[in-house]
């Protein structure tokens, strides 16, 4: 069965995925370029990639289940913070969260062929954390979008796990979340590591479960960044299986 799926993945799935990515990128860019008004722009920046992501999951035989959708309102803006197990985190959140949002992305991802082009036109937020001026620019760009139900998705680990367990969170993501003074919603992604771990390009058909936790509301004085980071990590970890709890050992990470 693994051999048959491997043949399917590289001879059928990979070419279709590539063509679908190019087509989605072109449609997104064209739609955003022709948009008149924010509502139209928000439509083209989100929905083509939403259906592309669902298509990719179905194509790969990955099923996604969402729990806790009742914890969020579609007309309210949030900062979503999710653990980052593998590449399928992107497709599962984009395809099944069902809430319009922008990604907070590393600046270097802007150079990705086709997808980086589409992300720029769609108004995704690229963060340059090499300087304070870069961070201030990121905050200014994000604040333009975070209203009327538009939200932001952040992976506070900064990179994918090497063993399924969470990497220590970076404080910068929570400093940004605190700056926006919006409810912060922890999201647990379980199963993405099994679908395609960081150290492999081979996909395994599996089930991914997304758990949307209750929003953490800012107090009158805003958030305490350190406390917010702990609350989010505790909430995310609570919905992981026992073998994925704790801090990643990163034993599989290549030594530099």
């Amino acid at each position: 069965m693994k051999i048959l799926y491997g043949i399917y993945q590289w001879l059928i799935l990979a070419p279709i995925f590539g063509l679908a990515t190019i087509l989605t990128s072109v449609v997104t860019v064209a739609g955003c370029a022709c948009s008149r008004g924010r509502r139209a722009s928000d439509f083209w920046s989100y929905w083509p990639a939403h259906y592309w992501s669902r298509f990719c999951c179905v194509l790969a035989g990955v099923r996604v289940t969402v729990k806790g959708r009742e914890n969020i309102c579609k007309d309210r803006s949030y900062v979503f913070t999710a653990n980052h197990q593998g590449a399928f985190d992107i497709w599962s959140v984009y395809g099944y969260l069902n809430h319009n949002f922008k990604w907070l992305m590393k600046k270097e991802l802007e150079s990705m062929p086709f997808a980086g082009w589409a992300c720029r036109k769609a108004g995704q937020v690229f963060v340059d954390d090499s300087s304070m001026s870069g961070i201030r620019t990121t905050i200014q760009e994000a604040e333009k979008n975070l209203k009327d139900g538009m939200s932001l998705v952040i992976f506070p680990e900064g990179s994918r796990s090497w063993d399924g367990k969470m990497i220590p969170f970076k404080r910068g993501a929570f400093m940004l979340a605190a700056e926006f003074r919006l409810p912060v919603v922890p999201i647990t992604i379980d199963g993405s590591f099994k679908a395609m771990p960081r150290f492999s390009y081979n996909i395994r058909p599996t089930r991914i479960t997304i758990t949307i936790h209750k929003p953490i509301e800012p107090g009158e004085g805003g958030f305490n960044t350190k406390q917010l980071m702990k609350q989010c990590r505790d909430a995310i970890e609570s919905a992981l299986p026992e073998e994925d709890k704790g801090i990643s050992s990163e034993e599989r990470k290549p030594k530099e």
Side-chain angles (χ1 to χ4, degrees):
M1 184 62 72
K2 287 184 179 180
I3 294 175
L4 289 176
Y5 187 85
I7 294 172
Y8 164 76
Q9 177 183 337
W10 294 109
L11 297 185
I12 300 176
L13 188 157
I16 294 176
F17 168 77
L19 290 173
T21 301
I22 293 171
L23 178 61
T24 302
S25 299
V26 171
V27 169
T28 298
V29 170
C32 290
C34 296
S35 295
R36 296 294 180 267
R38 172 160 181 161
R39 186 178 295 273
S41 178
D42 287 348
F43 175 90
W44 289 108
S45 68
Y46 174 73
W47 289 103
H50 169 80
Y51 287 114
W52 166 74
S53 297
R54 286 198 167 217
F55 174 72
C56 290
C57 287
V58 172
L59 191 67
V62 173
R63 296 169 294 171
V64 181
T65 301
V66 180
K67 299 178 180 179
R69 203 186 296 281
E70 68 278 2
N71 289 327
I72 58 174
C73 174
K74 67 176 182 178
D75 297 321
R76 193 177 185 192
S77 296
Y78 302 97
V79 175
F80 294 100
T81 60
N83 60 316
H84 201 3
Q85 286 193 337
F88 272 88
D89 296 336
I90 307 293
W91 297 307
S92 55
V93 171
Y94 230 153
Y96 296 89
L97 182 59
N98 291 359
H99 190 97
N100 206 334
F101 65 85
K102 304 292 185 184
W103 291 104
L104 184 70
M105 308 174 69
K106 293 179 180 179
K107 184 70 175 176
E108 53 263 34
L109 296 178
E110 196 173 6
S111 60
M112 290 187 300
F114 292 101
W117 175 47
C119 287
R120 287 196 303 274
K121 293 298 183 181
Q124 309 300 345
V125 181
F126 292 95
V127 58
D128 178 7
D129 57 3
S130 61
S131 67
M132 285 305 299
S133 61
I135 293 174
R136 281 195 293 270
T137 300
T138 299
I139 292 173
Q140 292 168 1
E141 288 297 315
E143 285 182 327
K144 295 177 185 177
N145 294 307
L146 298 182
K147 55 186 177 181
D148 303 325
M150 180 61 70
S151 296
L152 187 71
V153 174
I154 299 174
F155 291 124
E157 292 163 279
S159 59
R160 288 169 290 163
S161 170
W162 287 93
D163 57 10
K165 296 182 179 181
M166 282 190 286
I167 298 169
F169 285 177
K170 294 184 177 180
R171 191 174 181 182
F174 294 93
M175 292 173 67
L176 288 173
E179 187 74 28
F180 302 136
R181 297 179 68 88
L182 290 172
V184 176
V185 180
I187 293 179
T188 303
I189 302 173
D190 174 31
S192 178
F193 180 78
K194 295 177 182 176
M196 190 167 74
R198 182 174 180 174
F199 50 83
S200 174
Y201 289 106
N202 292 317
I203 299 171
R204 285 183 289 177
T206 188
R207 179 179 293 278
I208 294 174
T209 300
I210 295 176
T211 302
I212 304 170
H213 299 276
K214 291 183 179 180
I216 302 171
E217 302 285 348
E220 291 185 6
F223 286 114
N224 177 302
T225 304
K226 188 175 181 180
Q227 183 179 6
L228 175 62
M229 185 162 57
K230 184 179 186 306
Q231 285 178 286
C232 286
R233 188 177 184 95
D234 288 348
I236 292 170
E237 191 174 59
S238 69
L240 288 172
E242 287 300 320
E243 62 267 24
D244 289 335
K245 291 183 178 181
I247 298 175
S248 172
S249 64
E250 298 190 337
E251 290 177 351
R252 302 182 192 222
K253 185 175 180 179
K255 301 299 181 181
E256 296 181 357

